[in-house]
Every structure is written in C-alpha cells, then in structure tokens.
Amino acid sequence: MSTKRLLKKDLFGEVWLQDSGTEASILRDTRSARWWLKWLARWLLRREAAGLAALEGIDGVPVLMRYDKDRLTRSYVAGDPMHVGKPSDNAYFLSAARLLRRLHRAGVVHNDLATEPNLLVRDNGGAGFIDFQLAWHSRGRG
C-alpha cells in the first residue's frame, strides 16, 4: 500500500514523503507554486537535480530518482534532524566534515547547511545532508 504525506508547503510548491511499503522517497512538486514564482521554483528544482546528479554514489545524500520541469523525486535518507538527534560524539562531526569535502570535490555546494533540519544524524551515527533546493553545481572551480 502506498502512502503520501505532506511535509512542507511554501511559495515554491510542496514537498511530500511517499512510501510504497518497500521504498520511501521525497517528491518536490512545483506545480502549486505561486504563479509569480513558478519560474524561480522550476529554476531551483533544476539546480537541485543537477546537484544530486553530480553526487550520485555518495553515501549520506539523497539519490536523484526522477526529474521533470515541475517535479523531482529523490530517495529518502533515514535519520533524525541534527536538532533532534543532538549528536555529541566527535565521530559524527568528523563524518559531516568528510561528507562536506566529498560534496565540494564533486563540485557541489549545499548553500543551506546552517539550517539544522538539513543535517541528519543517521541510524549508523554518521552525518547525512538533505534538501538540496539551494545547492549549486559547478563543473569547474569557483
């Protein structure tokens, strides 16, 4: 049985948690974005898709599953938001620093890691990063 739960609704659209029973995913849908911001919502969606595509194979970040001009589906990364998980082990912060370096080596900057819900404390105690809506991917340095 498939379930769908609204996680967030804002001027740029909606974010849904989808659970098919075997696999959970996150759907970002810009079709409900305000008409005057739809162009920006789609542009941010395109940036998120490019960033996630560049991070393929990196553990701790979502996997891009599907993308079209209005919707993006990415894998669900299990864990607690940092402000809930309250990590105190130094190993967590070392894993977050390693993950951040891997993103930067892939040419991706997240641009929203100051928002604690975007940093996860995963079940294995390591760090995970989610919500790449403001991410930027550059093929070169800069």
Side-chain angles (χ1 to χ4, degrees):
M1 182 171 135
S2 183
T3 62
K4 199 171 170 182
R5 180 170 56 107
L6 183 65
L7 299 176
K8 175 180 159 185
K9 183 175 177 118
D10 61 18
L11 297 173
F12 300 114
E14 301 169 344
V15 178
W16 295 85
L17 171 62
Q18 305 176 124
D19 190 350
S20 66
T22 59
E23 177 181 50
S25 63
I26 302 294
L27 168 68
R28 185 181 302 277
D29 190 340
T30 64
R31 292 176 299 175
S32 66
R34 299 293 192 259
W35 66 268
W36 69 90
L37 289 174
K38 195 168 287 245
W39 69 271
L40 180 57
R42 287 177 174 165
W43 184 70
L44 291 171
L45 196 71
R46 213 171 29 252
R47 281 178 45 163
E48 182 172 5
L52 291 176
L55 298 174
E56 186 175 342
I58 295 179
D59 187 39
V61 298
V63 174
L64 178 63
M65 299 168 75
R66 282 180 294 288
Y67 164 70
D68 65 38
K69 70 177 180 132
D70 290 313
R71 292 172 294 208
L72 178 146
T73 303
R74 64 180 192 252
S75 65
Y76 174 78
V77 179
D80 290 324
M82 188 174 157
H83 66 282
V84 173
K86 297 183 184 203
S88 58
D89 187 356
N90 194 42
Y92 169 82
F93 297 99
L94 291 172
S95 76
R98 276 192 302 274
L99 184 55
L100 185 60
R101 282 193 298 274
R102 291 195 71 193
L103 264 68
H104 291 171
R105 277 196 302 271
V108 175
V109 290
H110 187 282
N111 285 326
D112 200 18
L113 289 177
T115 305
E116 286 184 353
N118 292 341
L119 286 94
L120 297 181
V121 180
R122 297 171 58 207
D123 298 338
N124 65 6
F129 300 158
I130 59 170
D131 193 355
F132 283 75
Q133 184 178 25
L134 299 179
W136 184 260
H137 175 245
S138 174
R139 295 193 200 301
R141 296 192 52 100

